[in-house]
């Protein structure tokens, strides 16, 4: 019986999940960061050529959303989310009036919009004389025509209320507006701009569900144990018959008295 009680208590204690710890961020502030020359926007926080999306126009800004790892910030340029190398940008105190470059261009011949700066995978067709009004940046890729160029434009194309984002071969583009330098004044931020607050323990919904299941299993066992103990304590004690010791029996003769 004692062993059963011990097992029930052991189950309740050790099968109950411990609180989950989460990291909270108090008063999180976003920062813009000024872009230096030759800064790339990445699709993943990995220093590899295959994850470069485009080169951000110099002198403009990205919006920093937080730390990704020791090397990268999670960031946003216009409406594209990705990552930038921390050492390649300068966080600033101000909110710039013109954080992103504004330019457009025209496609003068039929071509395609591709998912990478090569002709391997086409996203959609781009008819001749299509105007592209959302330009993000450029990157080096395959040279589709001999002795032409290896520059591709990363951009967004709208057709029938649908948006398509990808690369177009710059050799097929003209009427591109020059990107002017952003000369807005800025104040660099010193120190760590994203400080992690102390982790706080909480119970998530799955943990609470597990606790309820454990309680529902253990409590009935405890009730049964208590009932058995009570029944045992209320059982009447049987009285043993008292055996009296035998006495020796002597017969007396009246003549002897």
């Amino acid at each position: 019986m004692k062993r059963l009680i011990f097992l029930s208590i052991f189950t309740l204690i050790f099968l109950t999940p411990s609180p989950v710890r989460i990291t909270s961020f108090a008063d999180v502030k976003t920062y813009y960061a000024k872009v230096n020359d030759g800064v790339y926007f990445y699709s993943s926080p990995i220093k590899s050529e295959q994850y470069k999306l485009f080169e951000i126009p110099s002198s403009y800004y990205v919006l920093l959303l937080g730390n990704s790892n020791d090397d990268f910030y999670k960031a946003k340029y216009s409406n594209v989310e990705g990552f930038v190398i921390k050492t390649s940008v300068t966080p600033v105190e101000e909110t710039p009036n013109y954080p992103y470059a504004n330019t457009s261009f025209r496609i003068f011949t039929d071509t395609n919009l591709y998912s990478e700066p090569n002709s391997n995978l086409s996203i959609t067709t781009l008819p001749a004389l299509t105007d592209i009004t959302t330009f993000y940046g450029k990157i080096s890729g395959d040279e589709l025509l001999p002795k032409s160029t290896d520059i591709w434009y990363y951009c967004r194309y709208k057709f029938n209320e649908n948006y398509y984002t990808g690369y177009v071969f710059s050799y097929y583009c003209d009427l591109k507006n020059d990107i002017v330098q952003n000369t807005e004044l800025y104040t660099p931020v010193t120190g760590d701009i994203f400080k992690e607050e102390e982790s706080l323990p909480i119970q998530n919904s799955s943990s609470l569900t597990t606790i309820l299941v454990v309680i529902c299993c253990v409590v009935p066992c405890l009730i049964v144990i208590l009932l058995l103990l009570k029944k045992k304590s209320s059982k009447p004690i049987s009285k043993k018959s008292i055996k009296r010791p035998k006495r020796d029996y002597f017969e007396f003769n009246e003549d002897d008295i």
Side-chain angles (χ1 to χ4, degrees):
M1 188 66 68
K2 291 182 179 180
R3 181 179 297 179
L4 185 57
I5 296 174
F6 173 78
L7 290 176
S8 300
I9 296 174
F10 177 86
T11 303
L12 183 61
I13 293 175
F14 290 93
L15 293 186
T16 301
S18 58
V20 176
R21 303 188 71 85
I22 63 168
T23 301
S24 65
F25 296 88
D27 300 327
V28 175
K29 180 182 178 181
T30 56
Y31 292 85
Y32 281 91
K34 193 171 182 64
V35 173
N36 306 320
D37 293 333
V39 176
Y40 285 89
F41 203 70
Y42 288 74
S43 61
S44 295
I46 302 172
K47 291 182 179 180
S48 175
E49 292 291 326
Q50 70 184 77
Y51 296 112
K52 288 181 178 179
L53 283 177
F54 57 90
E55 182 182 348
I56 305 171
S58 177
S59 78
Y60 283 88
Y61 295 82
V62 292
L63 178 63
L64 303 181
L65 304 178
N67 286 320
S68 177
N69 53 38
D70 292 339
D71 298 320
F72 282 85
Y73 288 121
K74 184 176 182 182
K76 187 175 183 179
Y77 181 82
S78 187
N79 52 14
V80 179
E81 290 192 3
F83 307 88
V84 291
I85 296 176
K86 292 181 178 180
T87 56
S88 68
V89 298
T90 303
V92 301
E93 293 282 1
E94 298 82 7
T95 298
N97 294 318
Y98 306 99
Y100 314 120
N102 183 20
T103 189
S104 60
F105 58 90
R106 184 187 68 172
I107 297 170
F108 63 79
T109 185
D110 293 342
T111 185
N112 293 320
L113 188 72
Y114 297 93
S115 61
E116 296 179 357
N118 53 54
S119 59
N120 292 336
L121 185 59
S122 173
I123 297 175
T124 186
T125 57
L126 298 173
L129 305 182
T130 296
D131 290 323
I132 303 295
T133 59
T134 304
F135 168 85
Y136 298 116
K138 63 183 180 179
I139 196 169
S140 296
D142 289 353
E143 186 178 343
L144 293 188
L145 298 176
K147 298 180 181 180
S148 58
T149 182
D150 65 348
I151 299 301
W152 294 69
Y153 294 153
Y154 192 69
C155 58
R156 185 171 71 163
Y157 166 63
K158 182 180 179 182
F159 180 72
N160 289 340
E161 303 303 320
N162 294 319
Y163 289 94
Y164 304 91
T165 301
Y167 298 92
V168 61
F169 188 45
S170 67
Y171 189 78
Y172 298 142
C173 305
D174 64 0
L175 302 182
K176 184 176 180 293
N177 297 322
D178 292 334
I179 298 176
V180 298
Q181 293 288 303
N182 187 324
T183 58
E184 295 180 74
L185 298 178
Y186 64 92
T187 306
V189 176
T190 58
D192 188 4
I193 61 175
F194 296 112
K195 289 187 177 180
E196 191 173 294
E197 291 290 319
E198 183 181 358
S199 297
L200 300 176
I202 64 165
Q203 291 283 1
N204 60 19
S205 57
S206 60
S207 297
L208 293 175
T209 302
T210 307
I211 291 174
L212 292 176
V213 171
V214 171
I215 291 175
C216 292
C217 294
V218 173
V219 169
C221 294
L222 293 176
I223 293 175
V224 171
I225 293 170
L226 292 175
L227 291 174
L228 292 174
L229 290 174
K230 185 176 180 181
K231 183 177 180 181
K232 183 177 179 180
S233 60
S234 61
K235 186 177 180 180
I237 301 175
S238 59
K239 294 183 179 180
K240 295 182 179 180
S241 58
I242 301 175
K243 295 183 178 181
R244 298 178 178 275
K246 294 182 178 181
R247 294 182 179 180
D248 294 332
Y249 179 75
F250 298 96
E251 292 186 2
F252 293 96
N253 193 338
E254 292 180 358
D255 295 334
D256 297 332
I257 297 176

